[in-house]
Amino acid sequence: MDPTDGKNPVIVCGFGIIGLTTSIRLLEARFSVTVVASQLPGDPLSAYYASSSAGAHHLSFAADDDERQQALDRKTFDIMWKEEEDEGESSGIMKLTQREYYGSEGEKHIAFFESLPDFKVYSAADRPTFAQHAVSFTSLTMDTPTYLQKLVTRFQALGGIVHRASLDSLASALEFSSPNEFPMAIINCTGIGSLTLKGVEDMDMYPIRGQVIVLNAPWIKEGRTKQVGKLEGGEGGERTYIIPRRSGEVVIGGTREVDDWTTEARPETSLDIKRRALSLFPELAPECARINGRTPVPADLDPIVIREVVAFRPARRYPPNPCVA
């Protein structure tokens, strides 16, 4: 597909991080782009619009033999690294030390981590007792509201057009092009919406429910995760994570609940997240809760909770179900 005189647009359905990035790359390549989406950055949080709810940090799950995914993750890392260096505070990105702990015997880090700055493997004497293996490296986290708004500003500056509308089918996107401007292509970036969008109706799509808590903890400047059990493509086992943002917010989580459509935060899950997060990073609790060596408890985090967040990660079964047309 090559840009012509810009008259015939490309229509992008969906305006999350994938739809936004796709649109910007097309605009930079001199295509005319029209976006149609029911939810936009800055809207109230919704479980069905995962982009605004993401942690988010750059952390590859690429298998050691998956060269394609490694290349994509490296490209993303390099772009985000340059954005942070060029834009500083306004980038919405923060460089930080990331520590990865593995709680199961025999579990090791992926090879991709060895390519990142300041990579280090910890000896048994230098890692916590709960960790069977541990590494660290320099990585990146993203303040998603700031980052998404930055992309919207870029999209608008490049001449992109967005229409807020709910599509019931891929074909209904044609209503947003005039008769003499038949689109060059329609690109589907609707995420979990692909499950029900007519013309797509991808029955291999499913949600992986995530629940996190956002804290006001600007003293935390290091990311940590703890993996128990096998990743199995990035969604296996139990994974606890601490994601500081440049704004001073810290995201703690989380859950991976397959085919769970519950949109409200579960109190018992929030309690478990606080417990796991404190076991991984006791300094999350305010200093007053740690006086004289006191071990903090989940209730110590309550005064610094900003919000609880639930979102549905769009996932796809692989290999696809052969019984689904």
Side-chain angles (χ1 to χ4, degrees):
M1 187 172 70
D2 295 316
T4 55
D5 58 2
K7 184 177 180 180
N8 296 83
V10 175
I11 296 180
V12 176
C13 301
F15 210 46
I17 188 67
I18 301 300
L20 258 168
T21 304
T22 299
S23 299
I24 289 170
R25 290 290 180 256
L26 288 166
L27 289 163
E28 289 173 339
R30 296 185 297 109
F31 288 94
S32 174
V33 176
T34 297
V35 170
V36 185
S38 61
Q39 294 173 303
L40 309 177
D43 285 357
L45 291 179
S46 166
Y48 294 90
Y49 186 77
S51 293
S52 292
S53 302
H57 55 186
H58 186 286
L59 207 59
S60 175
F61 291 124
D64 292 351
D65 61 352
D66 191 341
E67 294 182 1
R68 178 178 180 275
Q69 189 62 53
Q70 290 178 23
L72 291 170
D73 290 349
R74 184 76 224 188
K75 180 73 170 178
T76 302
F77 182 87
D78 291 343
I79 289 172
M80 290 176 63
W81 186 276
K82 188 173 188 304
E83 284 181 316
E84 194 279 336
E85 288 193 331
D86 291 348
E87 302 167 17
E89 188 76 27
S90 64
S91 69
I93 297 171
M94 180 171 74
K95 293 179 184 176
L96 80 176
T97 297
Q98 174 69 32
R99 296 182 189 270
E100 290 283 301
Y101 297 115
Y102 300 84
S104 301
E105 188 69 38
E107 285 297 297
K108 300 292 182 183
H109 64 275
I110 59 173
F112 181 88
F113 292 159
E114 298 176 15
S115 71
L116 297 177
D118 309 307
F119 175 80
K120 177 181 178 180
V121 177
Y122 290 88
S123 67
D126 292 330
R127 62 182 185 245
T129 56
F130 63 73
Q132 300 294 320
H133 181 65
V135 300
S136 68
F137 43 87
T138 298
S139 190
L140 302 157
T141 67
M142 179 190 296
D143 195 324
T144 47
T146 300
Y147 193 81
L148 288 168
Q149 188 53 55
K150 180 184 75 172
L151 293 184
V152 170
T153 300
R154 175 69 174 155
F155 170 85
Q156 293 171 336
L158 289 167
I161 298 170
V162 61
H163 297 279
R164 185 192 290 271
S166 295
L167 299 174
D168 72 336
S169 69
L170 207 58
S172 62
L174 292 172
E175 298 172 12
F176 298 90
S177 62
S178 61
N180 60 337
E181 292 183 352
F182 195 81
M184 298 178 66
I186 299 176
I187 300 176
N188 176 28
C189 298
T190 59
I192 200 68
S194 295
L195 182 63
T196 56
L197 184 67
K198 293 176 183 177
V200 182
E201 294 174 298
D202 187 346
M203 294 297 105
D204 288 312
M205 292 290 300
Y206 65 97
I208 299 177
R209 181 183 182 272
Q211 181 170 325
V212 300
I213 302 170
V214 183
L215 306 176
N216 179 29
W219 55 90
I220 300 297
K221 300 296 184 184
E222 176 181 287
R224 295 184 186 179
T225 69
K226 178 186 175 184
Q227 174 69 29
V228 178
K230 292 186 178 297
L231 281 171
E232 297 176 342
E235 296 295 347
E238 178 189 84
R239 191 167 180 82
T240 302
Y241 45 84
I242 315 296
I243 306 176
R245 292 173 167 175
R246 194 162 191 153
S247 64
E249 294 182 347
V250 178
V251 178
I252 63 173
T255 66
R256 295 191 188 104
E257 298 164 291
V258 174
D259 285 321
D260 188 334
W261 292 95
T262 304
T263 60
E264 299 299 318
R266 295 187 176 103
E268 65 274 18
T269 300
S270 291
L271 181 62
D272 182 60
I273 289 171
K274 293 173 187 175
R275 175 191 60 77
R276 288 189 279 128
L278 284 171
S279 71
L280 180 58
F281 210 151
E283 295 82 4
L284 282 166
E287 188 175 2
C288 61
R290 297 180 273 113
I291 292 176
N292 298 324
R294 177 182 176 273
T295 300
V297 297
D300 293 326
L301 297 180
D302 292 347
I304 59 172
V305 170
I306 298 173
R307 58 188 170 273
E308 298 171 310
V309 180
V310 172
F312 303 135
R313 303 178 185 94
R316 195 167 188 273
R317 291 179 176 86
Y318 185 84
N321 184 348
C323 298
V324 176

